Amino acid sequence: MPAHGPDDLDRLFSPRAVAVVGASTNVDSPGHDYVRALREFGFAGDVYPINPRADEVAAYRAYPTLGDVPGAVDLVICCIPANGVPDVVDACGEAGIPFLHLFTGRLSETGDAEATALEATIEGRAKARGVRILGPNGMGVYHPAGRIAFRPDLPRTAGGVAFLSQSGNNAVEVVIRGAARGLRFGKVANYGNGLDLTPGELLAWLAADPETAVIGAYVEGVADGRGFYEGLRRAALRKPVVIQKAGRSAEGAGAAASHTAALAGEAAIWSGMLRQAGAIEARSQEQLLDLLVGASLLARPQGRRAAVAGGGGGRSVQSADACAGQGLALPPLPADVRERVGGRAPALADWIRNPVDQSILAGSGLSANGMLAMMAGSGAYDLGIANVGEEWFLGRPEAEGRLRHACRRLREAVAESPIPIAVVLGATEMPFDWQRTLIDSVRDELIESGLAVFPTVERAAFALGRLAPR
Amino acid sequence: MPAHGPDDLDRLFSPRAVAVVGASTNVDSPGHDYVRALREFGFAGDVYPINPRADEVAAYRAYPTLGDVPGAVDLVICCIPANGVPDVVDACGEAGIPFLHLFTGRLSETGDAEATALEATIEGRAKARGVRILGPNGMGVYHPAGRIAFRPDLPRTAGGVAFLSQSGNNAVEVVIRGAARGLRFGKVANYGNGLDLTPGELLAWLAADPETAVIGAYVEGVADGRGFYEGLRRAALRKPVVIQKAGRSAEGAGAAASHTAALAGEAAIWSGMLRQAGAIEARSQEQLLDLLVGASLLARPQGRRAAVAGGGGGRSVQSADACAGQGLALPPLPADVRERVGGRAPALADWIRNPVDQSILAGSGLSANGMLAMMAGSGAYDLGIANVGEEWFLGRPEAEGRLRHACRRLREAVAESPIPIAVVLGATEMPFDWQRTLIDSVRDELIESGLAVFPTVERAAFALGRLAPR
């Protein structure tokens, strides 16, 4: 028997031993992937592939049935067709296994009456046996610190961002794209049809999880609205929670029904509920990622006064529009900053403004990074946006050295800044390979240093505008 | 004397000979860049660097003054400080040179009274001398077919997309990013303060330019609203015109004044005027690029009925929301398509829907590309969106071969489709180098084949929604 009860989800994310029912020697199957992922992530406990026709799977000894497994198991991952699942539930119950993750799908989401009845049977059997179910129709758990993953190719680095997803491919997209943006994930769960373990219960548990600093979720619909609200509220009281509610339109709701049998609900009601619970609403995966980057990599702004610097005049105009569009104020340069500029370059003192147009500074001995540092330290601003303006560097001799130098200066300015500063580098499109390699490398360095990097100023302003107090 | 009069802008974009006043041997200066760009682009005519202290610049023989130049000149590029410009205007007039591009800035955009007066002097002198001015405070002309560019590092490939920009760095960004998206530029002009040649006149001329198929413009403000409207209307009657109006907010308008001395005007009035002229409005550079990609790489949709396929269930739900959000309809699969699905996979006939969830198709022998081809040929749809769903492939064995095969099939489906199909690949963020290299390579291949590729389904739906008839 596990030391923890089934309402403590710790053993779901950090099982001491795992059995995979439907483990497969076919390397192109999920029944192989789950076992291989445990091997490749260096899972520390015992792994029991269950397969009556195999001696071993991914170099772990295989067992014919769950009953043949010699040790205690905290989590069973089930990949067999739906008809066999009730027996697996029984076997879990007999062995005292607290958690069963059903990758198995083709249940209620098909809209088929027989499949829907089978799902109800599974639910009843699990309740009677005291087995908690994650899924069905979900990819399960990715928890790099616990050395468990639903795909062998996910990042190994662990961190404080938890993510719940009703959709499996969407969970993979968010993990992969988020990792490239500097998000370090802790506990990730793809709960699919959410038959037993609901997003509400998962949120409530993550609220108290010391490993989790920021929570994101992709939700298509919930069966238990009250439970979801309570879990969400509890979590949002303690940490930033970003929710992407998909299936907002009638068309999206229809797609959600055939995907995870979700009842999508009214978009406006959802928005109101999320606001009331204190969550931050994202309306696309892009917004979700931008908000998670902002919430996990930036200190929360204390107000809405923005200092913006870098890039040319066109970028300054567009930056001003982007900030205004998100309700961020752009106070003028304070007198002491203006005086310091005038001391260095008298002709600029009455011309330069916020946003700082880098091209005006040319030849003055002043840089956008230096201006941003002065503004950040002036007390006149609550948050900053730094446009790298990399296209300018690309056209100069020694482009690489200059761009790297400017980014080093920028990292220093951000490190010393008393206010959070978002960095804009991109968009990512570049036509030439040398440009792509250089920009990717510079971006990776900024992100490795812990900076929040956004591909456009509009997205940086969006994230800061949503995270700053109203 | 040139064969064309100064109101025909052909010699501005395709000069037969160019002089650069302020040509410099300092490789880190615009006065060097302009000369070097002509050399590196393989400009076919004579190039005359004007520099009294140099024998040659970028391997072209230099001349002390414009008057010393031995041949006829169509275009002078001027990089000297503002005080010297009136004399350059006189020299152009005396030599019968029709076009003067003033890279020179620090004029009215500084807000300084003396500089503003100097700009007025330049304007009066040019009018009296019959010299047409592009600029001041602008980077000038990029016209790859004419082998002329305002930066040596811009793409050499030429095409039918014209772009006008009030901002120089913004012009560079649009050209570089657009090239990576498959936009092939023809005539690009950065007109800066727009003292003489205005965006309205440029638009009117591009309307009749046979090389120009699609026009984009980035505008911060115009002095002559009536002239702009007339030029825009003339252009929009003949070809798609996408306008990004920056300086929409009060804050952005302030930034525009110090950037290009632009009077930004009321955002709502601008939107109404653009609509009335038949132009398509973009509210960010990202939207501008997406609309140019759609307008130049996709046939115009004949209606608003969307067929969507590919990616997993979460992507299908989000695709449905994205289409609905842009006012695109998602008609159900027509009976004949449903029958063909039922013939191959009876269990799917009542489950599969539009958008097509690729994960439902697993094991059926049907593919998302095959479904999209059936839908495109059914007559039930006006436009298509194909989600590549690359994250799924990345997790499979032989990921590269499978992804390349699917993209080959997709290219075939798009080539044979009677309706325009936008491709979604991305977002571009990937954590591992092998993933970046693979995705970049696959994207480049799709784009080289002439496909319109968008990083998110939301952006694809936005572009199609704006280009389809209401």
Side-chain angles (χ1 to χ4, degrees):
Chain A
M1 278 293 288
H4 294 63
D7 294 332
D8 182 339
L9 306 185
D10 195 48
R11 293 294 167 221
L12 172 64
F13 290 103
S14 302
R16 291 162 303 181
V18 177
V20 179
V21 173
S24 170
T25 54
N26 171 8
V27 298
D28 193 12
S29 70
H32 189 84
D33 273 1
Y34 283 107
V35 184
R36 183 159 74 92
L38 292 164
R39 164 77 61 204
E40 293 192 6
F41 269 72
F43 182 73
D46 288 319
V47 175
Y48 305 111
I50 309 299
N51 181 330
R53 289 177 311 280
D55 292 331
E56 56 178 38
V57 174
Y60 292 106
R61 183 182 159 186
Y63 296 83
T65 71
L66 260 184
D68 299 316
V69 165
V73 167
D74 286 332
L75 172 65
V76 168
I77 299 171
C78 176
C79 307
I80 62 170
N83 284 329
V85 171
D87 289 347
V88 176
V89 175
D90 286 345
C92 288
E94 276 154 29
I97 298 170
F99 293 107
L100 171 61
H101 154 223
L102 296 177
F103 171 77
T104 304
R106 311 254 154 163
L107 287 157
S108 63
E109 76 276 12
T110 61
D112 178 77
E114 208 170 308
T116 304
L118 178 58
E119 188 170 297
T121 301
I122 293 167
E123 185 180 15
R125 200 84 67 102
K127 286 226 182 331
R129 294 286 196 173
V131 177
R132 302 303 311 268
I133 289 181
L134 183 67
N137 187 29
M139 294 183 65
V141 168
Y142 163 58
H143 180 215
R147 310 285 178 106
I148 183 169
F150 46 65
R151 256 173 56 160
D153 62 325
L154 299 181
R156 266 64 172 163
T157 40
V161 181
F163 182 60
L164 307 175
S165 179
Q166 195 152 3
S167 156
N169 276 316
N170 187 70
V172 172
E173 287 179 2
V174 167
V175 166
I176 286 182
R177 295 168 182 180
R181 300 280 305 276
L183 295 182
R184 299 292 170 253
F185 287 94
K187 299 182 170 77
V188 175
N190 166 218
Y191 60 88
N193 296 5
L195 182 63
D196 173 30
L197 280 167
T198 61
E201 182 173 352
L202 289 159
L203 283 167
W205 187 79
L206 290 170
D209 176 37
E211 191 188 58
T212 298
V214 172
I215 302 173
Y218 168 88
V219 177
E220 294 180 354
V222 294
D224 170 20
R226 167 60 52 187
F228 180 80
Y229 177 80
E230 281 169 8
L232 177 61
R233 187 168 160 72
R234 199 190 298 186
L237 278 171
R238 301 187 59 168
K239 28 197 104 164
V241 182
V242 182
I243 306 281
Q244 179 189 356
K245 168 63 179 72
R248 290 179 54 79
S249 61
E251 294 80 356
S258 68
H259 175 221
T260 53
L263 298 166
E266 280 280 339
I269 292 174
W270 266 91
S271 294
M273 186 268 279
L274 295 176
R275 198 168 44 243
Q276 204 183 329
I280 307 163
E281 185 180 4
R283 300 227 168 146
S284 64
Q285 185 189 84
E286 185 175 288
Q287 289 190 354
L288 174 87
L289 286 167
D290 287 340
L291 290 166
L292 288 177
V293 165
S296 72
L297 301 179
L298 293 173
R300 190 170 185 228
Q302 297 301 304
R304 304 186 68 81
R305 300 169 302 164
V308 184
R315 180 66 72 95
S316 296
V317 177
Q318 294 171 78
S319 296
D321 280 349
C323 288
Q326 300 296 336
L328 295 172
L330 287 160
L333 296 180
D336 60 321
V337 171
R338 200 170 284 280
E339 269 166 35
R340 287 169 69 186
V341 171
R344 297 282 287 274
L348 300 191
D350 293 331
W351 184 16
I352 196 84
R353 42 184 295 148
N354 176 27
V356 174
D357 173 352
Q358 185 155 20
S359 59
I360 289 180
L361 301 174
S364 72
L366 292 162
S367 72
N369 288 325
M371 289 293 301
L372 189 62
M374 274 194 262
M375 293 163 81
S378 71
Y381 303 98
D382 302 302
L383 57 95
I385 298 178
N387 288 301
V388 172
E390 64 277 12
E391 271 82 1
W392 181 83
F393 293 94
L394 295 179
R396 302 316 316 147
E398 297 160 47
E400 174 163 359
R402 290 187 186 194
L403 179 56
R404 289 195 188 282
H405 174 74
C407 287
R408 221 163 20 241
R409 287 286 315 278
L410 176 57
R411 288 204 301 275
E412 290 164 11
V414 173
E416 288 161 17
S417 168
I419 59 173
I421 295 179
V423 175
V424 178
L425 179 73
T428 44
E429 293 94 351
M430 290 282 155
F432 300 122
D433 280 340
W434 73 270
Q435 298 173 331
R436 291 181 187 175
T437 307
L438 174 58
I439 299 301
D440 278 352
S441 153
V442 165
R443 185 189 302 107
D444 286 347
E445 270 180 43
L446 293 171
I447 288 172
E448 280 301 316
S449 306
L451 272 62
V453 180
F454 298 84
T456 69
V457 70
E458 287 82 6
R459 289 169 64 177
F462 164 77
L464 286 164
R466 293 293 280 276
L467 296 167
R470 278 280 165 194
Chain B
M1 279 292 290
H4 294 64
D7 293 332
D8 183 337
L9 306 185
D10 195 50
R11 293 294 167 221
L12 171 65
F13 290 103
S14 302
R16 291 162 304 182
V18 177
V20 180
V21 173
S24 170
T25 54
N26 171 7
V27 298
D28 193 11
S29 69
H32 189 84
D33 273 359
Y34 282 107
V35 184
R36 184 159 72 93
L38 292 164
R39 165 75 64 203
E40 294 192 5
F41 269 72
F43 182 72
D46 287 320
V47 175
Y48 305 109
I50 308 299
N51 181 329
R53 288 177 310 281
D55 292 329
E56 56 178 41
V57 174
Y60 292 106
R61 183 182 159 185
Y63 296 83
T65 72
L66 260 183
D68 299 316
V69 165
V73 167
D74 286 331
L75 171 65
V76 168
I77 300 171
C78 176
C79 307
I80 61 171
N83 284 329
V85 172
D87 289 347
V88 176
V89 176
D90 287 345
C92 288
E94 277 154 29
I97 297 171
F99 293 106
L100 171 61
H101 154 222
L102 296 177
F103 172 78
T104 305
R106 311 255 154 162
L107 287 157
S108 63
E109 76 275 12
T110 61
D112 179 77
E114 209 171 307
T116 305
L118 177 58
E119 188 169 298
T121 301
I122 294 167
E123 185 180 17
R125 200 84 67 102
K127 286 226 183 330
R129 294 287 197 172
V131 177
R132 301 303 310 268
I133 289 181
L134 182 67
N137 187 28
M139 294 185 63
V141 168
Y142 163 58
H143 180 215
R147 310 285 179 103
I148 182 168
F150 45 66
R151 257 174 54 162
D153 62 325
L154 299 181
R156 267 63 172 164
T157 40
V161 181
F163 182 60
L164 307 175
S165 179
Q166 196 152 3
S167 156
N169 276 316
N170 186 70
V172 172
E173 287 179 2
V174 168
V175 166
I176 286 181
R177 295 168 183 180
R181 300 280 305 278
L183 295 181
R184 299 292 170 255
F185 288 94
K187 300 181 170 77
V188 175
N190 166 218
Y191 59 88
N193 296 4
L195 182 61
D196 173 30
L197 281 167
T198 61
E201 182 172 352
L202 289 159
L203 283 167
W205 187 78
L206 289 171
D209 176 37
E211 192 189 57
T212 298
V214 172
I215 303 172
Y218 168 89
V219 177
E220 294 180 354
V222 294
D224 171 20
R226 168 58 54 186
F228 180 79
Y229 177 79
E230 281 169 7
L232 177 62
R233 186 167 162 72
R234 199 191 297 186
L237 277 171
R238 301 187 58 169
K239 29 196 100 163
V241 182
V242 181
I243 306 281
Q244 180 189 355
K245 169 62 178 72
R248 290 178 55 78
S249 61
E251 294 81 357
S258 69
H259 176 221
T260 53
L263 298 165
E266 279 282 338
I269 292 174
W270 265 92
S271 293
M273 187 267 280
L274 295 176
R275 198 168 43 243
Q276 203 182 329
I280 306 163
E281 184 180 5
R283 300 227 167 145
S284 64
Q285 186 188 84
E286 185 175 290
Q287 289 190 355
L288 174 87
L289 286 167
D290 287 339
L291 290 166
L292 289 176
V293 165
S296 73
L297 302 179
L298 292 174
R300 189 169 185 230
Q302 297 302 302
R304 303 187 69 80
R305 301 169 301 166
V308 184
R315 180 66 71 93
S316 296
V317 177
Q318 294 171 79
S319 296
D321 281 349
C323 288
Q326 299 296 337
L328 295 172
L330 286 160
L333 296 180
D336 61 321
V337 171
R338 199 170 284 281
E339 269 166 37
R340 287 168 69 186
V341 170
R344 297 282 287 274
L348 301 190
D350 293 331
W351 184 17
I352 196 86
R353 42 184 295 148
N354 177 27
V356 174
D357 172 352
Q358 186 154 18
S359 59
I360 288 181
L361 301 174
S364 71
L366 292 163
S367 72
N369 288 326
M371 289 292 302
L372 190 62
M374 274 194 262
M375 294 162 81
S378 72
Y381 303 99
D382 302 304
L383 57 94
I385 297 178
N387 288 301
V388 172
E390 63 277 12
E391 271 82 0
W392 180 83
F393 292 95
L394 295 179
R396 302 315 316 147
E398 296 160 48
E400 173 163 358
R402 288 187 189 195
L403 179 56
R404 288 193 189 281
H405 174 74
C407 286
R408 218 161 24 238
R409 287 285 317 277
L410 176 56
R411 288 204 301 275
E412 290 164 11
V414 173
E416 288 162 16
S417 168
I419 59 174
I421 294 179
V423 175
V424 179
L425 179 73
T428 43
E429 294 95 351
M430 290 281 153
F432 300 122
D433 280 340
W434 73 270
Q435 297 173 331
R436 291 180 186 176
T437 307
L438 174 58
I439 299 300
D440 278 353
S441 154
V442 165
R443 185 189 300 106
D444 286 348
E445 270 180 44
L446 293 170
I447 289 172
E448 281 300 317
S449 306
L451 272 62
V453 180
F454 297 83
T456 69
V457 70
E458 286 82 5
R459 289 169 66 177
F462 164 78
L464 286 165
R466 293 293 281 275
L467 295 168
R470 278 279 164 195

